[in-house]
Amino acid sequence: MNVEDVWTAMEERHACMLVDRDGSRLRARPMAPVARRDDGVVWFVTDAHSAKDEEVSAHPEVCLSFSDEGDRFYLSVSGRAEVVRDVAKLKDIWSAPMEAYFPGGPEDPNAVLLRVVPEQAEIWQGDGVLTTGFKMASAILSDRRADLGENAKIEM
């Protein structure tokens, strides 16, 4: 597993949990990422009036959590975030589903960008449910630790 695998995984997924800091507490919320390998950035369109603006300004360290239960795939990406007002970039990454939140399109005054620059990632990739169950049962019966897949930490 390498940096390219991380970018491919982020580009293929349309939802993740964004974890940021609200004062002394961590907060996770579902978001729709737009991963741009060429920019080295994961973009999110967000509301200018949301709490994320203040939270990210105070604590720019964030974590993006991606998963795919069916594929036994989990990805955690740590990075730094900032709120960006850039209509040209909004137009560049805009998609039809965003209209549901921002009816004014990319020029909607409430639409701003959250820019996340990934710094480190960790991937867990396992087998399907049946294979995992078999490996777990086999490990229990043989009194050894189960090999449930790959894990890698990757500097971005």
Side-chain angles (χ1 to χ4, degrees), residues 1 4 23 31 36-38 41 45-46 62 68 70 77 79 95 106-107:
M1 292 185 234
E4 294 304 313
M31 298 286 290
R36 290 292 173 95
R37 188 183 314 229
D38 293 341
V41 171
V45 179
T46 187
V62 299
D68 189 335
V77 178
S95 66
E107 295 176 353

Side-chain angles (χ1 to χ4, degrees), residues 5-96:
D5 295 329
V6 173
W7 281 107
T8 298
M10 290 190 295
E11 289 167 346
E12 290 175 348
R13 284 160 179 83
H14 304 290
C16 72
M17 295 297 285
L18 167 70
V19 181
D20 70 346
R21 188 172 294 280
D22 178 14
S24 64
R25 293 190 173 117
L26 295 175
R27 174 190 301 188
R29 56 175 64 89
M31 298 286 290
V34 179
R36 290 292 173 95
R37 188 183 314 229
D38 293 341
D39 296 343
V41 171
V42 180
W43 297 100
F44 298 91
V45 179
T46 187
D47 192 316
H49 304 292
S50 74
K52 286 183 291 303
D53 202 342
E54 294 172 8
E55 293 169 6
V56 165
S57 294
H59 303 282
E61 301 82 15
V62 299
C63 180
L64 310 178
S65 178
F66 299 82
S67 68
D68 189 335
E69 184 65 29
D71 288 339
R72 296 294 220 209
F73 173 86
Y74 307 92
L75 171 63
S76 174
V77 178
S78 300
R80 297 185 66 77
E82 69 175 321
V83 175
V84 177
R85 295 179 191 279
D86 183 341
V87 174
K89 182 52 80 175
L90 274 166
K91 288 178 180 178
D92 178 46
I93 69 167
W94 197 260
S95 66

